[in-house]
Amino acid sequence: MSIIRKVSKILQNQNNLVRVYSLLVIFVIIIGIATLPLISYNENQLYPKSVDMKSPLNPYDRGGEPFEKAEVKAQYPENSRYLGYVTAYLTPFSLFISYNTLYAGTTIVSHPGGIIDEILYNTRGLDTIIETSILFIAFAIAMFLFRRNEKE
Amino acid sequence: MYELENINIEGQVVTFIPFGDIVGYLTPYTAILFIFAAVFTIIALISKPEKQVDIAFGGDAYYTKNVSVKQMRFQRFMAAACGLATMGGVLSGDVFNFTLFTAMVGITNIGIVASIKNRHILDNAYEYGILAMVGTLPLFAGAAIIVATTGTLSMWILFTPLVTVPLVAKLLLVIGVLAEGMAPVYVAKAEITRAPGAPFILMVHVSSLVLFLRVIEIVISM
């Protein structure tokens, strides 16, 4: 068999496409590993992330004092004029938690009125909207498939 | 206010839409893609589903295929969502934003194909679903490598000659979009175009075509 026939015999079956694609991904990742010495981390990050173990809001601490403007980096500060005003705000309850323990940062960030990350909700707010839309579409498909056999 | 430095490929910016750090834009090139996607979304929204007739050879008998209102409604919703995601991907001026819109196109394509109740087609929808999920790995890995090596995600800065984006990030981005846009292969292979509800299948083709053209523009400009 010629090579074209061999290749087309594999590609004509759509059940093989996932395997072919996975091989392609592995191939590109091998190229990536081979060229890894040429790639270097850029220290001047637009969205910096640091972990301060002394902070009660660790690892979600974005700095700043409540009711004062915090320093939040943005690519285009002219597009988000009110950046930095809410990132340090905590409700009285979460402020109480943060005064008393160093280990409840995740609890504070995950309950209503906790830390509002302005990179997520202000400068990159559109991304957050699309992420939730993807989730809702996935739910809509699952719901449709699950309830398809019900009689109306 | 915002200007592209390299205008050989797509021309100068016609209009831009700022969303904080994500500044979407239209150039003559992407405006054509945007209008193309918009026209097909409107066609999918206003058209009724096709009801095919199969004729049994050697007799007067024929079968008519029925499309329930429920299925039509769901497919129309998915086609509209797919069109909106495609238009968002065309408009986007940010790499991570673009990958998110691409992932959304992949999900809605699964929805369009999976709503047809036919064992053969559902098998293919399952295969495509796996492929689309595997494809999110290189897609988001590409965006992650871009932000780690350049420190930014905005295309306005990535398109300037000062910033070099590593080759592997570009490759990962391209094969990520390849997986999300692979749906037409399954559509052709499983003959889904002949299944009931045909006009909505159009969006699968339109979205993948437009996304390929857009990702090529992004990768060449970077």
Side-chain angles (χ1 to χ4, degrees), chain A residues 27-48:
Chain A
F27 179 66
V28 171
I29 287 175
I30 288 171
I31 293 177
I33 293 171
T35 58
L36 204 57
L38 303 174
I39 300 172
S40 61
Y41 181 74
N42 191 327
E43 293 296 332
N44 185 23
Q45 289 283 324
L46 179 61
Y47 306 111

Side-chain angles (χ1 to χ4, degrees), chain A residues 69 72-84 118 122-124, chain B residues 19-21:
Chain A
K69 198 168 184 283
V72 179
K73 270 173 111 179
Q75 188 89 63
Y76 305 109
E78 68 272 17
N79 290 340
S80 18
R81 263 169 259 158
Y82 300 103
L83 189 63
E118 289 206 41
N122 193 338
T123 60
R124 300 196 65 85
Chain B
F19 288 102
D21 276 7

Side-chain angles (χ1 to χ4, degrees), chain B residues 2 11-12 19 36 71 103 108 117 122 124 130 143 172 195 210 218:
Chain B
Y2 299 97
Q12 192 46 268
F19 288 102
F36 185 71
Q71 184 193 331
T108 50
K117 204 173 176 182
L122 284 175
N124 279 278
I130 292 177
L172 285 170
V210 169
I218 292 172

Side-chain angles (χ1 to χ4, degrees), chain B residues 26 28-44 83-84 86-87 90 202-211 213:
Chain B
L26 281 179
Y29 176 76
T30 52
I32 292 168
L33 301 183
F34 187 87
I35 293 165
F36 185 71
V39 165
F40 275 90
T41 310
I42 291 166
I43 289 175
L84 289 176
T86 312
M87 284 187 262
V90 169
L202 266 180
M203 279 318 294
V204 173
H205 298 264
V206 171
S207 63
S208 63
L209 174 71
V210 169
L211 280 181
L213 290 171

Side-chain angles (χ1 to χ4, degrees), chain B residues 14 27 30 36 54 57 67 71 73 84 99 125 132 136 138 142 149 153-154 160 174 176 189 205 215-216:
Chain B
V14 177
T27 59
T30 52
F36 185 71
D54 281 0
F57 278 103
V67 181
Q71 184 193 331
R73 221 185 263 158
L84 289 176
T99 58
T136 53
T149 51
L153 281 166
S154 174
T160 54
V174 168
K189 271 287 178 194
H205 298 264
V215 78
I216 293 301

